[in-house]
Amino acid sequence: MSSMDVPVGREGPAVPAGRASAARVAANPRMSWLTLALMTTSSVASLRAAPTMAVYGLACVFLYVVPAIVFLLPTALVSAELASGWEGGVYNWVSQGLSKPLGFLAVWCQFAMTIFYYPSLLAYVASTIAYVVNPKLASNGLYTAIVIMVLYWAGVWVSSRGTGAVAGLASWGLVIGTLIPGALLVLLGFVFLGQGNGSAAPMDAHHILPAWTGLASLVLIVNNFLSYSGMEMNAVHVSSLKNPAKEFPKSMFTAMGLVLVIFVLPALAISWVVPADQLSLTAGVMQAFDAFFQYFHIGWLTPVIAVGLVAASLGGMLTWLAGPSKGLLMISRQEGYLPPVLQKLNSHGIQQNILVAQGAVTTLIALLYALIPDVSSAYWIFSVITTQVYLIVYLLMFAAAIRLRRTQPDHPRGYRAPMLVTLCVVGLLASAAAMVIGFVPSSQFGGSSVWSYIGLIGGGLLLLGVIIPFGLLKLSKPSWRDGAAADAVAAELEGGAR
């Protein structure tokens, strides 16, 4: 998971603009643009999505570059302006620009998307573990469901005890779970081709663009929007740069280049050795490693790589497991959005009841892996629902940015995005198009019912993005507010961020 799950801050009391800016500078020591670029790369880049794009072969370059231009870049630049002018994350941005109820919807969607994110992440972990135990298990739905439930509840137990034992593991996630395996995968791929072996996917100029077989042939591009999400959280560091107007764009373009390299090259390497019709969306990375290791007679490295990928994924999950729920808890205590039973903290100061409620839903979702025959199909469905829910956040963020530029043009900003309205319109159109395309079954679902697919995606989006959040808003009561507790949680979050 990316840094999109960093807990959001609170709106806080009104502070004079000059003092607020000074406070931000004092709280954030100077940072080089290169450091910010590397931080952004580490929080966004991952190997988990590589198999999803590897099925397109050389066309994956196009499918990664397009969303980077129309989504990644607008998100980074627009969120930088918002973060440099308004503290409090997406809740405060949307609350100030649109309304508090829509601000709650934004922070709710940041939390709700993890309900489907964790099952898809742990399905990837389950498939990776399978390559150490028994590769045939990678396509076994019951096995996948059991692994998801065991690992998730273990994570809830660890998180509820407030331990920071896995923080070091997560901080090394980019190295042990992305950079080393990714570099090794690409190196083996080049050596494999250099020895005269043919690529499983065509690599000629005729395959630069994805084959057009209808709208379904482009559906996998939707998953790339989620791959790039989270850029808005790194924007909070814009005030730490010496010259934000010049250095932040430079940092973002550098990060975008690095992220594209990490996304594209491993996907190409996988397409060189694993035919698209045999590629698993959950186990594709290990399929490629296993194929390369068997070819080079170093099969003993398969479990070593698997352990590294699993450790990085679990470390990231444990680190961020309680993050979005903390942001939701804090906002709810301020405004009374959640009933008191979900606002309670355990003896370690963790919102255990929210985690348990989330875990109950995650368990039900995990069971679907046992009921849906094709694990890759289940993985894709949950990934799309995750993307659909999170795209609501970006639709609200872009709309709020346009309105804030018009209603508060003189509000102090440490960074002003060039052509902000144009960037926001591009981001809005791209996000809306991604939501529409998400309802079209991928070409890999040719034999499945289109309407059942649409029903699953639409039902998940309607339930998580409309019914539950607006139901909570309607049921909210002033008596559910707890200002003192909200301040305590905010202080804890700010201390943790430092």
Side-chain angles (χ1 to χ4, degrees), residues 477-489:
K477 301 176 182 178
S479 60
W480 290 355
R481 296 176 182 171
D482 189 340
D487 289 340
V489 175

Side-chain angles (χ1 to χ4, degrees), residues 169-237:
L169 175 62
S171 65
W172 282 93
L174 176 68
V175 177
I176 66 175
T178 300
L179 294 183
I180 293 178
L184 180 60
L185 189 63
V186 173
L187 176 62
L188 293 175
F190 279 120
V191 173
F192 178 78
L193 295 181
Q195 292 184 351
N197 295 288
S199 169
M203 289 289 125
D204 55 80
H206 297 293
H207 293 85
I208 292 178
L209 298 178
W212 181 253
T213 58
L215 189 58
S217 64
L218 292 177
V219 170
L220 286 178
I221 199 172
V222 172
N223 201 48
N224 287 353
F225 281 75
L226 185 63
S227 297
Y228 289 132
S229 60
M231 295 293 289
E232 76 278 6
M233 294 305 174
N234 291 289
V236 300
H237 300 294

Side-chain angles (χ1 to χ4, degrees), residues 42-289:
S42 67
S43 64
V44 174
S46 169
L47 293 181
R48 194 168 67 91
T52 308
M53 287 296 107
V55 299
Y56 278 84
L58 187 60
C60 75
V61 178
F62 171 84
L63 295 175
Y64 269 125
V65 170
V66 170
I69 294 172
V70 302
F71 179 76
L72 174 62
L73 194 57
T75 298
L77 299 182
V78 171
S79 60
E81 172 165 329
L82 294 173
S84 68
W86 293 268
E87 296 180 343
V90 71
Y91 172 76
N92 197 30
W93 303 344
V94 177
S95 295
Q96 293 276 349
L98 301 176
S99 68
K100 280 191 174 184
L102 290 179
F104 171 73
L105 176 61
V107 78
W108 165 264
C109 288
Q110 280 192 319
F111 163 74
M113 59 78 64
T114 64
I115 295 174
F116 286 93
Y117 175 83
Y118 289 122
S120 62
L121 170 67
L122 293 176
Y124 163 76
V125 171
S127 297
T128 304
I129 294 174
Y131 268 81
V132 178
V133 182
N134 180 358
K136 292 182 179 179
L137 289 174
S139 58
N140 186 302
L142 180 59
Y143 157 79
T144 302
I146 292 173
V147 172
I148 290 173
M149 289 186 286
V150 170
L151 292 181
Y152 182 84
W153 283 108
V156 169
W157 180 81
V158 172
S159 296
S160 67
R161 297 183 64 82
T163 179
V166 298
L169 175 62
S171 65
W172 282 93
L174 176 68
V175 177
I176 66 175
T178 300
L179 294 183
I180 293 178
L184 180 60
L185 189 63
V186 173
L187 176 62
L188 293 175
F190 279 120
V191 173
F192 178 78
L193 295 181
Q195 292 184 351
N197 295 288
S199 169
M203 289 289 125
D204 55 80
H206 297 293
H207 293 85
I208 292 178
L209 298 178
W212 181 253
T213 58
L215 189 58
S217 64
L218 292 177
V219 170
L220 286 178
I221 199 172
V222 172
N223 201 48
N224 287 353
F225 281 75
L226 185 63
S227 297
Y228 289 132
S229 60
M231 295 293 289
E232 76 278 6
M233 294 305 174
N234 291 289
V236 300
H237 300 294
V238 67
S239 59
S240 299
L241 298 174
K242 184 177 181 180
N243 187 346
K246 292 184 178 180
E247 293 183 339
F248 190 80
K250 184 192 299 185
S251 176
M252 289 303 101
F253 279 114
T254 302
M256 189 166 71
L258 292 173
V259 168
L260 284 173
V261 168
I262 294 174
F263 278 154
V264 170
L265 291 184
L268 286 175
I270 292 174
S271 73
W272 295 337
V273 71
V274 183
D277 59 353
Q278 300 176 20
L279 187 63
S280 165
L281 297 188
T282 56
V285 175
M286 288 308 302
Q287 280 182 304
F289 273 118

Side-chain angles (χ1 to χ4, degrees), residues 374-445:
D374 185 358
V375 172
S376 286
S377 295
Y379 174 85
W380 174 249
I381 288 171
F382 295 140
S383 294
V384 172
I385 293 175
T386 298
T387 305
Q388 298 286 68
V389 172
Y390 205 65
L391 283 171
I392 294 175
V393 178
Y394 291 104
L395 290 171
L396 294 171
M397 185 188 79
F398 287 127
I402 293 176
R403 194 160 186 274
L404 284 170
R405 178 66 76 89
R406 290 177 177 173
T407 59
Q408 302 184 39
D410 299 324
H411 183 89
R413 297 161 169 84
Y415 171 77
R416 297 181 72 90
M419 301 185 300
L420 179 125
V421 174
T422 301
L423 288 172
C424 288
V425 170
V426 170
L428 280 169
L429 292 176
S431 299
M435 291 192 76
V436 172
I437 294 174
F439 285 99
V440 181
S442 165
S443 54
Q444 295 177 319
F445 292 85

Side-chain angles (χ1 to χ4, degrees), residues 276-414:
D277 59 353
Q278 300 176 20
L279 187 63
S280 165
L281 297 188
T282 56
V285 175
M286 288 308 302
Q287 280 182 304
F289 273 118
D290 192 53
F292 281 135
F293 290 161
Q294 295 303 324
Y295 173 81
F296 290 108
H297 305 292
I298 50 176
W300 57 271
L301 274 177
T302 299
V304 176
I305 289 294
V307 169
L309 294 174
V310 168
S313 296
L314 291 181
M317 184 199 77
L318 289 171
T319 299
W320 300 117
L321 184 60
S325 58
K326 274 191 175 182
L328 178 65
L329 171 74
M330 180 192 60
I331 299 305
S332 298
R333 285 191 159 193
Q334 279 185 276
E335 305 295 338
Y337 292 136
L338 291 181
V341 66
L342 292 177
Q343 296 186 26
K344 291 182 179 179
L345 304 178
N346 65 10
S347 58
H348 297 281
I350 303 299
Q351 61 284 4
Q352 183 172 298
N353 289 358
I354 293 182
L355 293 179
V356 170
Q358 182 181 3
V361 178
T362 300
T363 299
L364 292 176
I365 295 172
L367 292 175
L368 291 178
Y369 275 91
L371 300 176
I372 299 177
D374 185 358
V375 172
S376 286
S377 295
Y379 174 85
W380 174 249
I381 288 171
F382 295 140
S383 294
V384 172
I385 293 175
T386 298
T387 305
Q388 298 286 68
V389 172
Y390 205 65
L391 283 171
I392 294 175
V393 178
Y394 291 104
L395 290 171
L396 294 171
M397 185 188 79
F398 287 127
I402 293 176
R403 194 160 186 274
L404 284 170
R405 178 66 76 89
R406 290 177 177 173
T407 59
Q408 302 184 39
D410 299 324
H411 183 89
R413 297 161 169 84

